[in-house]
Amino acid sequence: MPKFGSNDDSQNQSQFKSTSGFHFSAVNLNKLGASEYSLFGLAADCSSSVEPFAKEIEACVVETVKGCQRSPRADNMLVRYMTFATRPQEQHGFRPLNDCHPDSYKGSIQPGGTTALYDTSTDLIDSLAAYGKHLVQHDYTTNGIVVIITDGMDVGSSLTAASVKDAIARAKMSESLESLVTILIGINVQDSRVSDFLKRFKDEAGIGQYIEAKDASEKTLAKVAGFISKSVSSQSQSLGTGGASQPISF
Amino acid sequence: MGADAVFRIGSTHEICQDYGISGLCQPNPSYPGIPYVIVSDGCSGGVVSEPGSPPPPKESKEPGAPFTDFGSRFLVRAAQLHLPDALFGPSTELLFDELKVISLAAEMATKCRFRASALDATLLAAVRDDRAVKVFQCGDGVVAARNRETQQISYVDIDFDNNAPFYPSYLLSPTSMGKYLTKCKSVTTTVGVKQEDGSWSTTAVETPLTKQSQCARVHHFGPEYDLVMVMTDGAKSFQDFGAQAVPLTEVLEQLFAIKNTEGEFITRRCNRFLGSFCKEKGWKHNDDISVGAIYVP
């Protein structure tokens, strides 16, 4: 199991509860010296079906973090990382990007279980809105980007695609985030039913962009990592403009 | 760090002639460092032909004229370079040796082939001295502080006669200094204190200006204050949507509504104040504004 926590973490974090009732953790404000932050929420599927390419997904997450850390805006990014199978699981709460050590993400994908895609998406989006509101109340300027990586259809969520849509709407209406970018990434999508499902989920939930990869090879997921880090960097650079970044092409 | 500064362009300006910085003065890396802020307001009128005369209206839209945007930056940089001497050298009553600072700034301006008038800018600096804060003021501007126990805000607003603030650049020539004292006859010091009931009590005292030593001053804030701010007179240039002047006290109340004193705390406050609050209220500041703040935990 990856070790994201340390003795210092519990002293530097607080627990929060979002509108949908999910709990999340986030760094205390006394650790945030900048005037603005982009909140990056990343969720990676670790259901049983990803077992053949679990290592590739992990590598993708590691490269995503490294790529974001090369951004000129790295000091203004906070990251929350989740994995999901039967239930969403927070691997670490919102923390400064520069406190995210790439090596600590190895072993975070432990395949097993179903695919709580809707629950996780709602959890992640609501946490961005809730923490964004907390930051805004303390004069920080924030925007957000959510990226969800999955290989299949939802199985087992207690919530629905409509719940995700509501979460996105709440986040935008709350004005806690200057803008919100949402991206769904389907990997190893070889079955047309899965492709149709994910496209429909994207539309029903109002997710901004859907990227589909036909395989989950090392090369493809490296490309996915590059796409994610560019999207995150672009959204961070748009902070202060009043609007979201333009979608990056895959 | 406990020190932060921000500057923003005024709505009627094409270039920002204000400048502000914050930092830690560390004579050597092993020393923890003394937090400081330095702000400056460059003259935004045309070239002042006679020290002490009110600045003529700008007639030229030439960018950078009369280069006081550079001048304010040179002045701040010169003050920053002078800080180690000011803090660790032989102590002076005024904290800064204005002549040394302006002379250094003049060297920079000369290298850039600017006239001395480019340095027509005010200078305010605040440095933390253990649990106290010392403020150096040369020219007009506002110094404000908050009592850590009562949260009561108080301020000192310095205004010079003839709308002609004193600039350290006048020290470069005895003639300029003499002309200034001929034209500018008095300085008005307004002191304001917020009362428990939320109202403000202010007293203004006009003092004849007869000698150079009156043109700069030092304010001392003891450990009973946890937050000290220096700001240029742009803080008094706010107008509401009906073009009515917004009282300085209302601006101060917003600036002091700091939520979190970590890192860029005054940048955050100003971003929220200027970007959200002022937009909602229809306020705008006509003049450039710079604010520096020192927090003493």
Side-chain angles (χ1 to χ4, degrees), chain A residues 60-81:
Chain A
C60 175
V61 173
V62 170
E63 286 310 308
T64 296
V65 170
K66 284 183 180 174
C68 291
Q69 287 175 338
R70 286 191 290 269
S71 166
R73 296 277 301 168
D75 289 339
N76 299 86
M77 293 184 194
L78 302 174
V79 185
R80 181 182 182 222
Y81 174 48

Side-chain angles (χ1 to χ4, degrees), chain A residues 29-30 32-35 136-140, chain B residues 257 259-260 262-264 267-269 271-272:
Chain A
L29 296 186
N30 62 0
L32 301 181
S35 60
V136 163
Q137 286 171 341
H138 289 83
D139 284 351
Y140 293 85
Chain B
K259 311 292 192 302
N260 173 1
E262 292 299 320
E264 298 175 0
T267 304
R268 288 193 295 272
R269 184 81 286 267
N271 284 348
R272 183 53 44 82

Side-chain angles (χ1 to χ4, degrees), chain B residues 68-82:
Chain B
T68 56
D69 51 333
F70 286 86
S72 62
R73 284 148 178 82
F74 291 154
L75 197 50
V76 167
R77 177 59 177 156
Q80 183 186 40
L81 290 172
H82 182 62

Side-chain angles (χ1 to χ4, degrees), chain B residues 281-294:
Chain B
K281 297 272 266 184
W283 291 5
K284 58 180 182 180
H285 55 100
N286 296 327
D287 192 6
D288 304 330
I289 179 175
S290 39
V291 182
I294 299 260

